[in-house]
Amino acid sequence: MTPFIIHGDARDAQILITCDHATNHVPPDVNGGDLGVAAADMERHIAYDVGAAGLSVALADRLGATAILSNFSRLVIDPNRGEDDPTLLMRLYDGTIIPANRHADAAEVERRLNALYRPYHAALARLAARRDDTAIVSIHSFTPRLNGRPPRPWHVGVLHSHLDSRLSQTLIARLRAEPDLCIGDNEPYDGHLPGDAIDRHALRKGRHNTLIELRNDLIRTDDQQAAWAYRLAPIIAAAVQDVGKDHATAF
């Protein structure tokens, strides 16, 4: 299997859509394709970002942009973590034990890095380097409520690093002009994690960037994903233009 999927590879747009947690797929060479997690838990946010893949593809189509999507579950190995991050390979997540990860040793982590994580990042790096003015828009989703925690009210969260929040703050301002939306600024969690995908491919390279989180109950169906792409695409494109980049994609 390929560790990533590229949608619209031939497109030459400034905006690059990334989806680090696109699927709950477990490759056959990882514990026979089964992490030992119940099927119901594999459909939860712990295994992937529900709805994010469809939204990413729909956004890419509306923006005339390229999208790159991971093709392995975040529980296999998390491409949105640095290689030295202690949460790179989760053994317990939101109350669920991950049996196939409990005794994974350093050799197994290295094997998964080489087979999945590193090829994904190499492909992302190639796509981002095609233009000098690439702006990375990373699409994720969040669960409306973690176990034992209060409900999360935000429809959309925009996450960013203190090292470069230009595009994110511009996007937040435009989204907050929408009267029916509750917008989170670095909610439901902080947007900077050293070594994560944005840090690696945007912050260290001086590229404009933002990470958009949709509440996953809003993007579960194809129709919902298409509707949100229709709504978000012009706002994203305008925000990219606002921060001074030329040739933002028209659609």
Side-chain angles (χ1 to χ4, degrees):
M1 60 154 278
T2 175
F4 55 86
I5 295 168
I6 298 176
H7 180 77
D9 194 4
R11 297 170 179 168
D12 182 30
Q14 179 185 4
I15 295 170
L16 174 63
I17 303 293
T18 67
C19 189
D20 302 320
H21 301 145
T23 180
N24 58 2
H25 178 65
V26 180
D29 63 347
V30 177
N31 205 50
D34 186 349
L35 294 174
V37 175
D41 279 333
M42 288 300 294
E43 294 297 326
R44 296 175 59 217
H45 69 98
I46 65 170
Y48 73 123
D49 282 357
V50 177
L55 176 61
S56 296
V57 168
L59 273 173
D61 287 344
R62 293 209 62 82
L63 291 163
T66 301
I68 180 169
L69 301 89
S70 67
N71 198 26
F72 53 93
S73 171
R74 66 191 299 172
L75 294 181
V76 173
I77 196 158
D78 194 333
N80 197 34
R81 298 292 185 271
E83 291 193 16
D84 59 350
D85 193 298
T87 64
L88 177 70
L89 190 74
M90 295 293 284
R91 292 166 169 81
L92 175 69
Y93 193 176
D94 196 22
T96 296
I97 293 172
I98 320 302
N101 291 350
R102 289 185 70 183
H103 304 295
D105 59 13
E108 174 61 11
V109 173
E110 185 69 13
R111 190 188 70 79
R112 296 187 197 182
L113 284 168
N114 285 329
L116 302 166
Y117 178 105
R118 289 171 181 151
Y120 171 77
H121 282 287
L124 200 166
R126 175 185 69 81
L127 294 172
R130 293 190 302 185
R131 291 180 56 137
D132 292 337
D133 62 350
T134 296
I136 295 178
V137 176
S138 185
I139 300 300
H140 292 252
S141 71
F142 64 94
T143 185
R145 185 173 192 166
L146 289 171
N147 286 334
R149 303 287 184 88
R152 292 163 159 176
W154 309 282
H155 301 105
V156 183
V158 179
L159 309 191
H160 51 91
S161 168
H162 63 284
L163 298 174
D164 183 2
S165 62
R166 292 171 293 171
L167 178 54
S168 292
Q169 293 292 357
T170 302
L171 182 61
I172 289 167
R174 284 190 167 272
L175 287 168
R176 285 184 170 167
E178 303 282 311
D180 60 328
L181 295 182
C182 180
I183 304 300
D185 181 346
N186 267 345
E187 298 285 0
Y189 21 73
D190 184 76
H192 182 60
L193 193 62
D196 68 7
I198 288 289
D199 184 42
R200 181 171 182 165
H201 297 286
L203 296 176
R204 297 180 192 178
K205 303 292 184 179
R207 295 181 178 122
H208 280 301
N209 64 89
T210 191
L211 191 153
I212 300 173
E213 294 261 6
L214 270 289
R215 207 176 66 211
N216 67 27
D217 60 317
L218 303 176
I219 54 169
R220 288 186 175 274
T221 69
D222 292 345
D223 287 347
Q224 288 175 318
Q225 293 156 18
W228 274 99
Y230 180 83
R231 184 171 192 176
L232 290 175
I235 297 173
I236 292 169
V240 171
Q241 291 176 326
D242 287 346
V243 293
K245 292 296 185 179
D246 296 329
H247 312 303
T249 305
F251 48 92

